[in-house]
Amino acid sequence: MWKSLKSVLLVIGMLLATSVTPANADQMKLSCSSYNPLETMFKDVCWSGMFPMKLMGATMIPGKSGEPADRTNKIICACGGDLTKGQLPRIGFTVGFWAPAKILDVTRRPYCLPSLGGMELPFASINFLNGGANLGRSDRHEAFANWTLYSFPLIYMLRLIDDGACPPDGLTEFDLLQSSPMFPNWNDAIGRYTTFINPEMLLFTGVNAMFAMPVDGASSTLGKPLNNLFWVAGTWGNMYPITGFFGNGVGKMVDPVQFTSLTGARALSLLHRLGMLNETVGNDNLCERNTRFIIRKDAYRWQFLAPSPEVNGRLPGAPAPATTTSQVQEVNPPQRFGTCTHATGSSTAAWGMWRDVPATGEDHSYLLFQWTDCCFGITP
């Protein structure tokens, strides 16, 4: 974890050399929400979101989260080895499931870390980088947010599976991975850096996005986001431009949960575009992960983790839920389609537009489940 933080410090050191006075001093007053998923994971995590689980191409444990259409159907698999050199491959059987893999914090302040108990990295004058999600930034009167991505491979952290077997991105420990202020395009008000990183945005920021959004939105709400329409995030909004701003100078945040969901989707799209996230679905990724530069939306399912966790419904007649975090009571209406995770772009009306908590819970945390196909070896 500290290696990641060290790289953050180096980048911020250079940025602070060009510090400017903030245009809106009120943004300094925004506090950082405090959550602790390591303490509340047994109550707050949607454990049923891991299923269905496939074993040797057949359903071993059923579930309601669905599965990617081109997930592996193989029974037996082999990895590595070279018979011409006398090296035997590792032979095993295929496994596929929704692995709880990452946590994504979407926050109003840069370097606010709700999933680390509300820690704020102590950088002086850092607010020039960006501002609050409610107040906008500088002269751009629109919603703006930051994000921080952590690895959170629960099944390995709890030793529910052998170390090194089937990790989505080769990560087996809780760690801070990336944060939005490290990327100059995230606070790009003009479009110079964003266009350089994502030149295709020039094709997908106008009418194309308008026509694609309702189609992808309907399909995503039914649990099947359309990967071919990668420039939209269903009902959440346009994937481009990949910045922290909600709209091109006119964005108004009506639904905070929709806004933070779109921010999270853009974060994943950016990291894929930069080659920092890998493909985990299909026969080509059974033995090793291949870099994917365009986000695959159906490879992820989302759970609203904090402040009001999207968790399994309690049994009929069961007592009311206890407090699940130090912030708020659990919000637990009936889940559409009987699952406590949702697809990328799924309408927030189905799972959580009411989950924002004013004042104490305006920074949101999402747990990302990643469909993982792998070859579970039975030979050395």
Side-chain angles (χ1 to χ4, degrees), residues 2-45:
W2 298 113
K3 292 181 180 179
S4 301
L5 291 178
K6 187 181 294 184
S7 64
V8 172
L9 290 170
L10 291 174
V11 173
I12 291 301
M14 293 184 291
L15 289 174
L16 292 180
T18 59
S19 177
V20 297
T21 302
N24 195 334
D26 290 339
Q27 295 169 0
M28 296 284 291
K29 301 177 183 179
L30 295 172
S31 61
C32 181
S33 300
S34 175
Y35 315 125
N36 197 332
L38 291 175
E39 292 182 359
T40 63
M41 60 183 175
F42 293 107
K43 295 181 292 184
D44 291 355
V45 168

Side-chain angles (χ1 to χ4, degrees), residues 249-319:
V250 294
K252 295 181 180 179
M253 180 178 58
V254 177
D255 178 358
V257 176
Q258 176 189 350
F259 169 56
T260 57
S261 296
L262 177 62
T263 301
R266 287 180 172 180
L268 294 183
S269 183
L270 172 64
L271 294 176
H272 271 287
R273 194 69 178 86
L274 295 175
M276 296 180 180
L277 294 178
N278 298 325
E279 172 75 279
T280 58
V281 182
N283 295 331
D284 294 338
N285 298 283
L286 283 172
C287 299
E288 60 182 359
R289 306 308 182 194
N290 297 296
T291 302
R292 184 180 179 90
F293 295 100
I294 298 295
I295 185 174
R296 176 174 177 151
K297 294 184 290 186
D298 68 346
Y300 298 96
R301 286 187 68 87
W302 304 60
Q303 182 203 355
F304 193 100
L305 189 61
S308 303
E310 183 185 0
V311 295
N312 298 318
R314 58 186 186 273
L315 296 175

Side-chain angles (χ1 to χ4, degrees), residues 68-84:
D70 58 343
R71 55 91 180 170
T72 185
N73 286 312
K74 286 186 175 182
I75 298 175
I76 303 298
C77 52
C79 295
D82 188 342
L83 295 179
T84 62

Side-chain angles (χ1 to χ4, degrees), residues 89-320:
R90 178 170 57 89
I91 299 175
F93 54 85
T94 62
V95 177
F97 63 103
W98 289 104
K102 297 176 179 66
I103 286 179
L104 189 64
D105 285 342
V106 182
T107 63
R108 296 161 293 167
R109 286 178 58 85
Y111 292 118
C112 158
L113 309 175
S115 291
L116 292 181
M119 177 190 300
E120 292 188 72
L121 300 185
F123 297 120
S125 302
I126 195 175
N127 64 306
F128 83 93
L129 290 171
N130 37 34
N134 289 333
L135 300 176
R137 185 196 70 90
S138 186
D139 58 342
R140 294 174 65 91
H141 301 291
E142 59 183 316
F144 182 90
N146 303 275
W147 55 267
T148 300
L149 183 69
Y150 314 80
S151 64
F152 195 65
L154 275 180
I155 58 174
Y156 306 101
M157 293 165 58
L158 298 175
R159 300 299 186 261
L160 300 180
I161 195 171
D162 291 341
D163 285 346
C166 305
D169 288 308
L171 302 171
T172 58
E173 301 294 340
F174 181 49
D175 200 356
L176 191 154
L177 298 179
Q178 300 289 345
S179 192
S180 57
M182 295 180 65
F183 301 94
N185 65 299
W186 196 254
N187 192 42
D188 184 10
I190 300 177
R192 296 168 296 182
Y193 309 120
T194 302
T195 306
F196 177 77
I197 295 174
N198 303 96
E200 72 276 9
M201 68 169 280
L202 299 176
L203 301 175
F204 300 124
T205 55
V207 177
N208 289 336
M210 294 176 58
F211 285 115
M213 197 180 304
V215 176
D216 188 49
S219 186
S220 298
T221 302
L222 293 174
K224 297 183 181 298
L226 302 176
N227 292 321
N228 291 336
L229 303 180
F230 60 86
W231 59 91
V232 292
T235 63
W236 300 347
N238 296 335
M239 198 75 79
Y240 295 93
I242 300 182
T243 70
F245 298 106
F246 187 63
N248 297 318
V250 294
K252 295 181 180 179
M253 180 178 58
V254 177
D255 178 358
V257 176
Q258 176 189 350
F259 169 56
T260 57
S261 296
L262 177 62
T263 301
R266 287 180 172 180
L268 294 183
S269 183
L270 172 64
L271 294 176
H272 271 287
R273 194 69 178 86
L274 295 175
M276 296 180 180
L277 294 178
N278 298 325
E279 172 75 279
T280 58
V281 182
N283 295 331
D284 294 338
N285 298 283
L286 283 172
C287 299
E288 60 182 359
R289 306 308 182 194
N290 297 296
T291 302
R292 184 180 179 90
F293 295 100
I294 298 295
I295 185 174
R296 176 174 177 151
K297 294 184 290 186
D298 68 346
Y300 298 96
R301 286 187 68 87
W302 304 60
Q303 182 203 355
F304 193 100
L305 189 61
S308 303
E310 183 185 0
V311 295
N312 298 318
R314 58 186 186 273
L315 296 175

